[in-house]
Amino acid sequence: MAGHEASAEGLGAMSAPLAGEASSVATASAGASGPAAAIACVVEDPGAAPGAAARLSHRLGVPLEHGLAQVDQGAAALLVDGQGVSLVRDGMRLKGDLERMARRIRPDALGRELLVRAARIKGGSESLTAVDATAGLGEDALLLAAAGFSVTLCERDPVIAALLRDSLDRAAASAVLARAVERMRLVEGDSVDVLHRLDASPDVVLLDPMFPGGKRAAAKKKLQLIQTLEAPCDDEGKLVAAAMAAGPRKVVIKRPAKGPWLAGIEPDYSLCGKAVRYDCLVAPCYGRHRGAC
């Protein structure tokens, strides 16, 4: 895995795509140190690209092992093989897979996506920008990028960021996804810090924090493994305040359909599906009457 690392002294241009020298996916560090990697080691499979596992091991500061037999029972590890990077634990395996989103970003399907409808900016320009402040495995950010946004993806957890970076690199080689991936940039760091350091206001900020109970909106069973790494949002008010302070035209918050408002803040309006709801906070200058779905 060869991700191009861009310096991030100034983060004002993060929502614009950058071209990597060794990878089509531009990445950066937000400057603040994130949490320690919550895995025991990186495991190198014989089919892995030469040096990829060693680089990842060094990046995360964990041991490099050769073969899953070296991983203790119950411990999590990142496996690097010929197919990319996977999170493994107790026989379970999870790999970022943006390529499976190909059907959802087709022109005839994209406009029906609830997130795309919630993020839509009336009278917006062709150069819209968004910050996905809780990127996870990048599926929501891909939908926004396919809809024309240049998207900055913030991910604080280093293991999740490694899975996301690998997924973006593989998606960049897909004829169907490459154009959207060119508009996506991964920034590793705390999203509150990143939002505070933006020089230019994005059009949209997307929030999808974990519930204190340990679930994201529309969490699927197969994502339970990754949720063991991701801490619940411990200060919802601070996250919403940082999103609004970044000066977007709207903040879009992804919630379970019957879940409470994030930080107890009533949205200006909401769009509801069967499993998820998008609560929209509109900047005062673009305000409208509050409404419910």
Side-chain angles (χ1 to χ4, degrees), residues 110-121 250 269 271-272 280:
L110 187 61
R112 297 195 297 270
E113 289 286 343
L114 205 60
L115 171 58
V116 173
R117 291 167 52 197
R120 188 173 293 144
I121 300 293
K250 70 169 72 172
Y269 65 98
L271 298 181
C272 291
C280 300

Side-chain angles (χ1 to χ4, degrees), residues 164-215:
L164 176 54
R165 187 185 307 108
D166 171 68
S167 182
L168 287 167
D169 282 338
R170 287 184 282 107
S174 165
V176 177
L177 303 181
R179 187 172 180 182
V181 173
E182 287 177 356
R183 292 193 285 267
M184 301 170 70
R185 187 180 183 214
L186 172 61
V187 176
E188 294 188 46
D190 185 86
S191 58
V192 171
D193 295 333
V194 173
L195 288 165
H196 282 158
R197 296 175 62 190
L198 291 174
D199 293 332
S201 296
D203 293 291
V204 172
V205 175
L206 172 64
L207 305 178
D208 179 18
M210 282 184 63
F211 270 14
K215 293 184 178 181

Side-chain angles (χ1 to χ4, degrees), residues 57-267:
S57 170
H58 177 75
R59 181 186 183 93
L60 297 179
V62 297
L64 175 64
E65 302 289 353
H66 300 276
L68 287 173
Q70 305 300 317
V71 182
D72 293 338
Q73 181 71 21
L78 284 180
L79 173 66
V80 183
D81 59 18
Q83 303 302 313
V85 179
S86 303
L87 177 65
V88 294
R89 182 177 184 178
D90 293 335
M92 295 184 291
R93 179 169 174 169
L94 178 67
K95 180 173 65 175
D97 186 13
L98 291 176
E99 294 171 89
R100 71 182 187 86
M101 298 281 290
R103 293 180 61 184
R104 293 178 63 183
I105 68 170
R106 294 185 313 194
D108 61 336
L110 187 61
R112 297 195 297 270
E113 289 286 343
L114 205 60
L115 171 58
V116 173
R117 291 167 52 197
R120 188 173 293 144
I121 300 293
K122 292 183 179 180
S125 67
E126 295 183 357
S127 56
L128 295 172
T129 60
V131 175
D132 183 348
T134 47
L137 293 179
E139 295 181 354
D140 288 335
L142 179 65
L143 291 174
L144 293 178
F149 286 85
S150 292
V151 187
T152 296
L153 297 82
C154 302
E155 180 51 56
R156 183 172 186 266
D157 186 274
V159 176
I160 299 174
L163 293 170
L164 176 54
R165 187 185 307 108
D166 171 68
S167 182
L168 287 167
D169 282 338
R170 287 184 282 107
S174 165
V176 177
L177 303 181
R179 187 172 180 182
V181 173
E182 287 177 356
R183 292 193 285 267
M184 301 170 70
R185 187 180 183 214
L186 172 61
V187 176
E188 294 188 46
D190 185 86
S191 58
V192 171
D193 295 333
V194 173
L195 288 165
H196 282 158
R197 296 175 62 190
L198 291 174
D199 293 332
S201 296
D203 293 291
V204 172
V205 175
L206 172 64
L207 305 178
D208 179 18
M210 282 184 63
F211 270 14
K215 293 184 178 181
R216 276 179 178 264
K220 296 182 180 180
K221 191 172 182 179
K222 68 177 182 179
L223 295 185
Q224 291 178 357
L225 179 58
I226 206 169
Q227 289 175 344
T228 63
L229 303 173
E230 190 177 15
C233 181
D234 56 2
D235 194 334
E236 295 179 347
K238 184 178 180 181
L239 179 60
V240 176
M244 293 299 292
R249 297 182 67 168
K250 70 169 72 172
V251 175
V252 177
I253 305 172
K254 186 177 182 180
R255 305 299 280 166
K258 299 184 182 299
W261 298 322
L262 186 64
I265 300 173
E266 183 181 358

